[in-house]
Amino acid sequence: MSLSPARVFAALNQVRPPQRSWPVLGKAVVVGGSVAGLLAARVLSDHAESVVVLDRDDLHVPGGRPGVPQGTQLHALLPGGFLQLEQLFPGFREQALAQGAVEAPPAARRSYLDGRRKVVVPDDADSLAGSRPLLEGLIRQQVLRLPNVKTVTARATGLVIDGAVTTGVRFDVGGMSGVESGDLVVDAMGRSSRLSDWLERAGWDRPVTRRMPVHLNYATALFRRREANPALTVVMALHTPRMSSDVAGAAFFAIEDGRWMAMMAGYGDHRPGCTAEDFVRRLREQFPPEFGEVADSELLGDVQTYRHADSRRREFAALERFPAGLVSVGDAVASFNPVYGQGMTAAALHAACLSTYLRSRPDLRVPARRFLALQKVVVDAAWSMSTSADLALPHVDGPYPRGYRLSSWVSRQIVAATVTHVPTARRFNEVVSMRAHPRSLATPGVVLGALRANLRAR
């Protein structure tokens, strides 16, 4: 199924009033209470008589979850994801602010590239800053209060497939086995999803898994925030490979409870900021003055580290045989280098794909090809953005896509122009915030505008 990527992105990001929904299925089962799983459950609640979210963690317990080890790290909610959450949960912004999230309008966001400040404010999209537990917790609260959504605390162990149709999920709880039947099963088990194994065990083909080794090491620390309403709430500083720095970049956000959350990242054998002393020193010495001001604040607790070995995607859309009544969302389909902050926003767009699919009143007795085609557009876009940037890293050695040298040169020109040129920066921000498809950058007008801006800057 061939779809126009630009039109798909435009449709998924269209701000529209809530529409009346009609049930198209009896019960849906979501395996995994991740952000992706919760957003899928929210969409399904409009189209199913009942929705069951099955997870090993008790989803009614507030705070971070054991099943999200990266939850202590800095997370970004891109403007594209923020718009999707407002669509799914009207009033999400006000409720998040009431729970301590911090507004991050364009004027409160600042970016640096190789130590050079981007002197334009080219964006007009608002966003929020807050910890992963706060944002995920609010999503969870909104979903679990829906009257037709319930949870089961158990470990999923396999699929139930009748002929060519998925009819449920097997699970274990307290040493007892059971089956949760459903008309549609959604895999939201994250990077470690076992769906490929389950399919193979049931006699179906497993999807090809593509990997891009990145060997990212990142560390996050919390600092006391003196100002209740700081002028800057999100500051990022990226280093390109030309800097020959052992730090890929750093960022800090204002988050709930009067705190700064700061992150530092490095690749390969570089593990910057793994100790409190190293973290504070590097903030002061290797980044713009705003980072030093954060480093001068009181450090709260220990530095939390995390390692991300590779970006990966499972090619479900390419399978010739795929059972009906089954889809996969979020990191279970594709997870990307977290430096680019795409995870939650990509999950929200997967939910938008699911909503579009279900609004077409599909026949659930046949494979969800329409959904897979829509989702592939989103995955392709996020994958191309993150992996093209990763391929510029010295320690990453392919695989290189066709035309990589030319596309890489064009990308560098566009990124350089975002420092000084408002039209280029605006278009670039629409793409990296996942409100527009990357192809919107590859137009003669954008490229020529970037080249002219770079010549003037020199």
Side-chain angles (χ1 to χ4, degrees):
M1 184 181 297
S2 178
L3 300 174
S4 164
R7 290 180 180 177
V8 168
F9 256 71
L12 294 177
N13 283 286
Q14 182 182 5
V15 178
R16 55 190 182 275
Q19 300 177 17
R20 181 182 175 186
S21 301
W22 292 268
V24 296
L25 65 153
K27 184 167 74 172
V29 182
V30 180
V31 186
S34 62
V35 168
L38 292 169
L39 297 181
R42 165 62 188 87
V43 167
L44 288 163
S45 71
D46 287 338
H47 302 278
E49 295 174 5
S50 65
V51 182
V52 174
V53 183
L54 193 153
D55 195 278
R56 292 176 297 176
D57 297 332
D58 184 347
L59 298 178
H60 292 276
V61 175
R65 297 190 296 116
V68 188
Q70 74 275 27
T72 58
Q73 303 298 318
L74 186 71
H75 280 71
L77 178 60
L78 301 177
F82 178 61
L83 292 173
Q84 294 293 334
L85 291 181
E86 278 289 337
Q87 291 266 54
L88 292 170
F89 310 106
F92 183 87
R93 173 182 175 277
E94 287 73 19
Q95 294 177 50
L97 293 173
Q99 294 194 20
V102 181
E103 289 184 292
R109 303 196 295 263
R110 182 170 293 176
S111 297
Y112 291 87
L113 182 65
D114 289 342
R116 188 181 176 198
R117 180 182 168 186
K118 294 187 177 183
V119 297
V120 295
V121 183
D123 209 341
D124 57 2
D126 289 338
S127 190
L128 291 173
S131 70
R132 166 70 179 258
L134 182 144
L135 296 173
E136 181 176 337
L138 181 56
I139 294 170
R140 194 185 312 150
Q141 292 169 25
Q142 301 272 11
V143 171
L144 298 189
R145 68 166 57 113
L146 295 170
N148 61 339
V149 175
K150 74 169 188 176
T151 67
V152 173
T153 304
R155 184 178 68 89
T157 59
L159 296 174
V160 180
I161 300 179
D162 183 4
V165 180
T166 308
T167 60
V169 178
R170 293 187 178 88
F171 64 87
D172 287 342
V173 56
M176 303 289 290
S177 298
V179 171
E180 193 69 56
S181 299
D183 302 302
L184 179 66
V185 172
V186 179
D187 163 32
M189 291 183 284
R191 278 172 61 87
S192 59
S193 170
R194 303 181 300 282
L195 180 60
S196 298
D197 296 333
W198 294 352
L199 288 171
E200 189 173 48
R201 189 189 311 163
W204 297 80
D205 295 334
R206 62 186 298 133
V208 170
T209 299
R210 294 169 58 186
R211 299 175 186 266
M212 171 69 74
V214 292
H215 303 296
L216 172 71
N217 309 297
Y218 56 113
T220 297
L222 296 170
F223 294 86
R224 181 89 58 199
R225 175 161 49 87
R226 302 185 186 96
E227 301 173 275
N229 299 296
L232 295 175
T233 56
V234 172
V235 180
M236 295 178 285
L238 298 179
H239 293 164
T240 67
R242 293 177 299 174
M243 287 262 313
S244 299
S245 173
D246 59 349
V247 187
F252 66 84
F253 293 2
I255 66 167
E256 68 275 12
D257 300 328
R259 297 174 295 172
W260 293 112
M261 179 175 274
M263 180 274 286
M264 193 175 301
Y267 290 102
D269 295 330
H270 300 304
R271 299 174 183 267
C274 60
T275 67
E277 294 77 12
D278 187 56
F279 199 103
V280 170
R281 178 186 63 80
R282 288 177 183 273
L283 285 183
R284 288 174 175 157
E285 296 178 0
Q286 295 182 259
F287 293 96
E290 298 93 331
F291 289 83
E293 294 173 9
V294 170
D296 289 338
S297 304
E298 178 189 358
L299 180 67
L300 303 174
D302 298 325
V303 174
Q304 302 292 327
T305 60
Y306 191 74
R307 180 170 176 80
H308 179 89
D310 58 23
S311 299
R312 64 182 67 167
R313 63 182 291 183
R314 298 177 173 97
E315 301 283 8
F316 289 104
L319 289 173
E320 294 184 3
R321 296 175 59 248
F322 193 69
L326 177 67
V327 298
S328 192
V329 296
D331 284 357
V333 180
S335 62
F336 315 98
N337 185 334
V339 160
Y340 311 118
Q342 297 169 311
M344 287 193 286
T345 300
L349 286 169
H350 290 192
C353 293
L354 184 60
S355 177
T356 301
Y357 169 68
L358 292 174
R359 287 179 187 277
S360 70
R361 303 181 67 81
D363 183 355
L364 297 178
R365 295 168 298 179
V366 299
R369 295 291 180 189
R370 171 71 177 175
F371 168 79
L372 293 174
L374 291 169
Q375 185 186 58
K376 183 177 184 300
V377 173
V378 175
V379 173
D380 284 348
W383 183 263
S384 68
M385 284 190 286
S386 65
T387 57
S388 62
D390 290 338
L391 285 170
L393 300 171
H395 68 284
V396 175
D397 186 21
Y400 296 94
R402 181 180 301 174
Y404 170 73
R405 287 188 177 182
L406 176 60
S407 63
S408 177
W409 179 83
V410 171
S411 295
R412 290 196 300 271
Q413 298 302 314
I414 291 173
V415 170
T418 62
V419 177
T420 59
H421 191 232
V422 171
T424 302
R426 189 181 300 278
R427 182 69 64 89
F428 181 78
N429 283 353
E430 289 176 350
V431 169
V432 298
S433 66
M434 301 188 75
R435 290 174 289 150
H437 193 272
R439 287 186 184 176
S440 65
L441 288 173
T443 65
V446 173
V447 175
L448 289 174
L451 292 174
R452 293 191 187 102
N454 292 336
L455 287 172
R456 288 194 300 268
R458 293 192 187 104

